[in-house]
Amino acid sequence: MKIPSVKGFHDILPDESARWSWMESQAREQFARYGFAEIRIPIVERTELFSRSIGETTDIVEKEMYSFADRDGSSLTLRPEGTASIVRAYVEHALAQHEPVSKLFYLGPMFRRERPQKGRLRQFSQIGAEVIGRDDAAVDAEVLLLLHDLLAALHIRSAQIELNSLGDGACRPAYRAALQAFGEAHRADLCENCQRRLERNPLRLLDCKDHDCHAATKDAPLMIDHLCGPCRAHFDAVRGFLTREGLEPRLNPRMVRGLDYYCRTAFEVVAEGLGAQNAVGGGGRYDGLVKALGGPDTPGIGFALGVERLILSMAEAGATPLRPEVFIAPLGAAAESEAIHLAHRWRRAGVRVEMTGGGKSLKSQMRMADKSGARYVVILGEDELAVRALTVRDMTAKRDFPRAVDLSASADGLRAALAQLGHEPVEQSA
Ligand code: AMP
């Protein structure tokens, strides 16, 4: 009986994994340029870490976490996002004592029990970054510039960064009350979900996907019009820095972000090719979070991008799987033994060599060589063994070159011989 994979949990097969590693290496390069160091956090955390940081009333905590009781009765959860764990690690290891500002990045799987569809999985991967220890507008701008450069390096040409400010402890409570009052006045027109959310999380009214609900909140008050002086100055300063760099994020005053801990700068990245799930990433400032998790009163800002969605919206492939440089086709047992030796020698010297068993016919080995994408096949039959020189078939020019490479050729000798064959004039047919 076949055992299928779990709904929402996917394999990444070899033809796709090349894109993943390419994407990861591009990301690492950008993070290095901006001075970010990698942090590797565990997959499993105590459930309270997420309920306390993400917020009890968020979709993630209310209904999407993979939580389970450990054998000792404690409740554990597969991480649904990275920021909470990073802040936990920052506090636990007192990273502030080592350096005043921590600039960290991470890559890896996250788990949310959402309804799977295109671009929405239950296990998905994120690339994210956090800066803990600075609250000035310049660092917000730097994080947004990093995000912008990262998206460009990943060939997400249609990406558009949307920006908003969510205010802070000084101005948000009054705004929240104003929005709540508006919601109460229009309660009958709101969807069931929003009616329920009105008490506990009224900000979510603004990003409800329900069409009628959206229409009902068309004239709702917006945070951006209720910012206090310092929040307004911070927001204007962030935009000023970005404008100077030629980056003009689109303002989206209805963006609220799903997690409770955001304040001031909030942003999302939307891109094409994703259908309903058009957000490839998002982030923002979370000044109260470190303190809420038992650390010093330290500000922070960060973002996360979803790798599966990035791949769906990549403008061009960026990377194809590495093809073998040569395919060795041995014919017969004696040749096979020699071929294993040859392949081992060349591989150790850095050549990408593909080979199948010597028991197969030349025709079937050629079929496999063709599939492998190798341009050159090195044929090793009885004749070649006798003269200790290999026949090379150029799969592109469809020509055989007898005795083209010596059986004892080094990797350099092999490459030199192949390069020469590549320049042989193609015979004109009459
Ligand atoms: P969030 O942590 O909710 O701000 O999500 C950041 C990014 O992670 C989103 O913009 C998506 O690209 C990605 N993401 C979040 N949830 C999922 C999911 N269930 N499946 C695939 N990608 C996701």
Side-chain angles (χ1 to χ4, degrees):
M1 195 182 71
K2 286 189 201 157
I3 303 174
S5 63
V6 178
K7 185 174 166 189
F9 291 72
H10 287 192
D11 298 307
I12 295 148
L13 298 175
D15 58 346
E16 217 192 323
S17 61
R19 282 191 187 196
W20 279 68
S21 6
W22 177 81
M23 205 163 247
E24 286 161 5
S25 63
Q26 294 291 96
R28 285 178 192 284
E29 168 64 27
Q30 293 301 319
F31 288 134
R33 289 187 197 182
Y34 278 81
F36 283 65
E38 185 175 11
I39 178 164
R40 300 193 186 204
I41 41 177
I43 304 271
V44 171
E45 298 274 6
R46 292 172 200 275
T47 300
E48 63 186 300
L49 174 68
F50 301 116
S51 43
R52 189 126 58 93
S53 63
I54 299 173
E56 296 279 4
T57 61
T58 54
D59 285 351
I60 295 181
V61 172
E62 273 186 353
K63 53 189 186 200
E64 294 170 1
M65 293 205 298
Y66 280 97
S67 300
F68 57 96
D70 198 3
R71 285 171 193 270
D72 64 5
S74 55
S75 176
L76 303 180
T77 293
L78 299 184
R79 61 181 192 199
E81 56 109 46
T83 306
S85 304
I86 288 171
V87 171
R88 185 215 24 85
Y90 177 87
V91 173
E92 188 166 332
H93 304 289
L95 293 188
Q97 287 174 12
H98 302 287
E99 47 183 9
V101 180
S102 292
K103 292 161 76 176
L104 305 165
F105 79 87
Y106 60 93
L107 311 164
M110 307 293 162
F111 305 85
R112 295 182 196 172
R113 201 174 193 289
E114 297 191 76
R115 201 150 40 82
Q117 60 181 78
K118 182 180 175 189
R120 194 158 77 189
L121 297 134
R122 290 179 168 179
Q123 176 178 333
F124 59 96
S125 226
Q126 284 187 337
I127 296 178
E130 316 285 350
V131 181
I132 307 179
R134 272 180 68 181
D135 64 1
D136 53 310
V139 76
D140 297 25
E142 213 180 327
V143 166
L144 283 158
L145 290 170
L146 160 63
L147 177 61
H148 174 78
D149 288 357
L150 180 56
L151 291 162
L154 297 177
H155 299 179
I156 316 296
R157 303 234 194 283
S158 64
Q160 170 77 48
I161 299 178
E162 297 189 342
L163 191 65
N164 194 16
S165 174
L166 300 181
D168 65 4
C171 50
R172 196 156 58 194
Y175 165 70
R176 190 179 183 275
L179 181 60
Q180 208 160 26
F182 175 92
E184 285 299 348
H186 296 79
R187 181 177 269 280
D189 301 325
L190 301 178
C191 72
E192 243 175 60
N193 214 355
C194 282
Q195 290 193 9
R196 201 169 48 80
R197 288 204 282 224
L198 203 48
E199 299 301 319
R200 307 209 300 163
N201 199 352
L203 259 58
R204 296 309 304 273
L205 295 188
L206 295 179
D207 72 349
C208 180
K209 297 277 192 292
D210 183 279
H211 184 75
D212 295 339
C213 197
H214 192 82
T217 58
K218 194 166 61 66
D219 299 321
L222 298 169
M223 184 71 239
I224 202 80
D225 301 321
H226 290 73
L227 296 178
C228 59
C231 282
R232 164 57 62 190
H234 185 96
F235 190 57
D236 291 345
V238 174
R239 290 175 64 201
F241 286 124
L242 296 178
T243 303
R244 190 166 168 204
E245 299 314 306
L247 188 62
E248 298 276 357
R250 189 194 295 158
L251 296 189
N252 179 357
R254 294 181 70 98
M255 181 211 308
V256 296
R257 305 286 301 137
L259 318 183
D260 269 3
Y261 50 66
Y262 287 116
C263 64
R264 290 197 169 170
T265 310
F267 47 92
E268 263 175 16
V269 184
V270 295
E272 289 167 9
L274 296 164
Q277 309 299 317
N278 72 341
V280 289
R285 176 160 281 292
Y286 47 82
D287 291 350
L289 183 62
V290 182
K291 191 162 182 221
L293 292 177
D297 192 1
T298 310
I301 180 168
F303 65 79
L305 294 165
V307 179
E308 287 81 359
R309 292 190 197 171
L310 287 171
I311 286 180
L312 285 172
S313 54
M314 261 163 89
E316 61 271 332
T320 43
L322 277 182
R323 293 183 302 188
E325 291 169 86
V326 288
F327 188 102
I328 304 183
L331 300 166
E336 178 164 37
S337 161
E338 200 61 47
I340 289 170
H341 177 65
L342 199 58
H344 188 206
R345 199 154 52 75
W346 284 343
R347 282 169 175 160
R348 276 198 301 187
V351 185
R352 293 191 304 278
V353 180
E354 192 50 278
M355 197 177 95
T356 54
K360 302 216 165 56
S361 69
L362 184 61
K363 199 169 155 203
S364 112
Q365 294 198 60
M366 283 303 155
R367 249 197 320 267
M368 288 184 223
D370 201 35
K371 237 177 138 185
S372 80
R375 173 158 179 198
Y376 295 105
V377 182
V378 167
I379 301 169
L380 183 51
E382 274 175 25
D383 292 352
E384 283 79 11
L385 269 182
V387 297
R388 302 202 58 78
L390 303 153
T391 299
V392 173
R393 179 169 298 179
D394 182 337
M395 301 295 275
T396 309
K398 303 205 168 25
R399 281 175 73 189
D400 278 358
F401 298 90
R403 300 190 186 196
V405 179
D406 209 76
L407 191 55
S408 59
S410 65
D412 286 346
L414 167 74
R415 286 196 172 120
L418 296 181
Q420 208 179 352
L421 297 185
H423 288 114
E424 286 271 314
V426 179
E427 290 149 32
Q428 300 287 319
S429 49

